Amino acid sequence: MMSCYEFISSCGVGNVNFFELVKFCEDSLIGNKLHGFTSARVTKGITPMDDQNKKTESPKISSTTAFLSQLKEKKCGVVKEAIVENKHEYNEQYKPSAFFTFIQFLKTLTFPTEDGRVLFNKASTVQKSSLRFLHLNPAAHFQEIIQEARSVVVAGGTMQPISEFIDQLFIPAGVPKERISFFSCGHVIPPENLLALGIETGPCGSILDFTFKSRQLPQTVKEVGSVLLNICNSVQGGIVCFLPSYDYEEFIYKELKKSKILESIAKRKKIFREPKFSSDVDRILSDYAKNISLSCSSNSGSSTCTGSLLFSIVGGKMSEG
């Protein structure tokens, strides 16, 4: 993570005027042109290999020239074979142009330093690497809306503490406190049905540190699995485990499966996972609730299943109640 200035300096492009570059991209509509280019080829079924073949098509030549070319190709046979081996990379469909995203990223490099940070993830290949901009000052862009609109309604299911919205969004944008109205409905459950507990360490004694640098450590994953296993053995009915992202949920699920902890949990709870497609949400929730009802209403002592465990995502499709 680095500031925009640090990122520009590390890339050695401090002499580039990004304001002019962004203006050129917008005025020339180069993003639209590239998008139209790739879209047309996808529609027609043209691949990069087809375009490459058109470029390499040689004009008609005499027999003498062809003979000399064959002699030359024999000398360069190894090089030619290497080129042919790499041609499979071009034998794929064109992908949608990412130039619009690139232009948006260039815009972020023109923001004030305090407005955000650049997240750089360098992987083994370019395709797996990524660049992201983390916006830290939404008020800078919200101010234009505040100035032009007569009223603004910000609505959501999990907006507490509301003071953060007021102090970080409205006040910096120039809205006086007396103009801000707040309305909130009651919770979906009575207060006596809610118990909040914090867990500092896991059953093995390791600290539950879920910071970015520590959450994928083996001891952290082991503690997560042990906590879930103990809770599933003690609590009947349904359990929902919220994780910060789909990637981390995938990581935890694979690690728990690899360590056989998930197998032990499955003996007590039927495991469900939040789907990535909205069309599957109702089905997963229905199956989750149905399994809880069947487990709790079963009079058979032979069944060891006591309910369901659902892996869900904070801010995902199922986190709004």
Side-chain angles (χ1 to χ4, degrees):
M1 181 184 293
M2 59 183 74
S3 66
C4 293
Y5 174 77
E6 292 171 337
F7 175 76
I8 292 173
S9 299
S10 64
C11 293
V13 290
N15 60 328
V16 177
N17 189 328
F18 286 98
F19 291 94
E20 291 186 0
L21 184 58
V22 170
K23 187 176 185 301
F24 168 78
C25 292
E26 293 177 342
D27 293 345
S28 63
L29 300 177
I30 187 172
N32 301 68
K33 294 172 183 177
L34 286 174
H35 178 73
F37 172 82
T38 54
S39 298
R41 271 154 174 70
V42 170
T43 303
K44 296 177 181 178
I46 301 174
T47 65
M49 174 66 82
D50 297 329
D51 286 336
Q52 187 73 12
N53 290 337
K54 284 184 179 180
K55 291 181 182 179
T56 56
E57 283 180 358
S58 55
K60 293 182 179 180
I61 55 177
S62 63
S63 57
T64 304
T65 306
F67 175 73
L68 293 174
S69 298
Q70 289 177 0
L71 293 177
K72 187 176 181 180
E73 286 175 0
K74 287 182 179 179
K75 294 181 180 180
C76 305
V78 176
V79 177
K80 187 175 180 181
E81 288 176 4
I83 295 173
V84 171
E85 287 177 359
N86 290 331
K87 279 189 176 181
H88 74 276
E89 297 179 2
Y90 296 92
N91 198 21
E92 298 177 358
Q93 282 287 350
Y94 275 99
K95 294 179 174 60
S97 173
F99 203 75
F100 285 116
T101 305
F102 177 67
I103 294 174
Q104 292 301 318
F105 181 77
L106 289 180
K107 284 184 179 180
T108 63
L109 299 181
T110 65
F111 293 168
T113 302
E114 62 272 11
D115 280 5
R117 293 291 182 269
V118 177
L119 302 179
F120 178 61
N121 177 31
K122 186 177 181 181
S124 56
T125 61
V126 176
Q127 289 79 5
K128 294 180 180 179
S129 302
S130 64
L131 274 176
R132 297 181 182 180
F133 182 79
L134 180 63
H135 211 305
L136 302 177
N137 184 23
H141 302 279
F142 197 66
Q143 188 173 10
E144 183 179 350
I145 300 174
I146 294 294
Q147 291 174 347
E148 295 186 3
R150 295 183 60 183
S151 61
V152 177
V153 178
V154 181
T158 52
M159 296 179 63
Q160 294 287 0
I162 194 65
S163 58
E164 292 186 0
F165 283 89
I166 296 174
D167 295 337
Q168 298 181 23
L169 195 63
F170 291 104
I171 300 300
V175 181
K177 279 193 174 182
E178 55 270 17
R179 289 195 59 195
I180 301 174
S181 301
F182 173 66
F183 173 78
S184 177
C185 299
H187 206 275
V188 294
I189 61 171
E192 59 270 18
N193 287 9
L194 176 65
L195 176 64
L197 298 173
I199 305 176
E200 183 179 1
T201 59
C204 301
S206 299
I207 296 176
L208 292 170
D209 182 5
F210 290 100
T211 56
F212 186 78
K213 65 178 182 179
S214 302
R215 64 184 185 180
Q216 291 190 352
L217 295 177
Q219 58 266 31
T220 303
V221 178
K222 182 180 179 181
E223 292 290 7
V224 171
S226 299
V227 169
L228 283 176
L229 180 59
N230 288 350
I231 293 175
C232 289
N233 286 333
S234 305
V235 178
Q236 290 192 349
I239 297 172
V240 181
C241 175
F242 283 102
L243 296 164
S245 66
Y246 285 102
D247 289 340
Y248 191 58
E249 188 272 342
E250 182 75 20
F251 170 78
I252 287 291
Y253 186 86
K254 287 182 177 179
E255 291 299 314
L256 295 183
K257 187 175 182 180
K258 189 188 303 181
S259 63
K260 305 294 183 180
I261 294 179
L262 211 61
E263 184 178 327
S264 301
I265 293 176
K267 294 177 181 178
R268 303 294 293 173
K269 304 287 183 184
K270 187 173 182 180
I271 300 172
F272 296 88
R273 301 173 67 187
E274 177 171 325
K276 292 187 177 181
F277 298 102
S278 300
S279 57
D280 296 329
V281 170
D282 289 340
R283 177 181 58 81
I284 295 295
L285 284 176
S286 177
D287 293 344
Y288 168 80
K290 184 178 179 181
N291 186 73
I292 294 172
S293 299
L294 291 174
S295 301
C296 294
S297 61
S298 176
N299 295 323
S300 174
S302 59
S303 177
T304 59
C305 183
T306 61
S308 305
L309 170 64
L310 172 64
F311 286 102
S312 190
I313 312 301
V314 176
K317 302 173 184 63
M318 296 182 173
S319 64
E320 292 294 332

